Amino acid sequence: MTTALAVTAVLHVDLEGVRARYECFTCGTKEGPVFGNEDVRAFTATIRNDHRARCTGESR
Ligand SMILES: [Zn+2]
């Protein structure tokens, strides 16, 4: 499979365990995990932008 878009980060969400974590392949940072409905919802809603602001491996 070929794609022009590289996978640079992955957001893991476990709805059964109600937890989420974010792993950035660009800088190697792992954020989280966070637990609980409120924290998971806030985390998944903002982590991409939040991490982009502090990502140290940006190659653009
Ligand atoms: Zn990063």
Side-chain angles (χ1 to χ4, degrees):
M1 191 169 89
T2 58
T3 175
L5 290 174
V7 175
T8 56
V10 59
L11 178 63
H12 303 272
V13 181
D14 180 352
L15 291 177
E16 289 187 16
V18 194
R19 67 185 174 204
R21 63 190 168 85
Y22 183 84
E23 185 172 356
C24 176
F25 300 132
T26 302
C27 67
T29 295
K30 291 172 183 162
E31 309 250 11
V34 295
F35 302 91
N37 286 316
E38 290 299 315
D39 284 354
V40 166
R41 184 160 43 209
F43 185 81
T44 56
T46 61
I47 188 57
R48 288 184 183 88
N49 280 332
D50 280 3
H51 180 76
R52 190 183 305 154
R54 59 176 172 258
C55 185
T56 55
E58 200 62 62
S59 59
R60 281 182 294 174

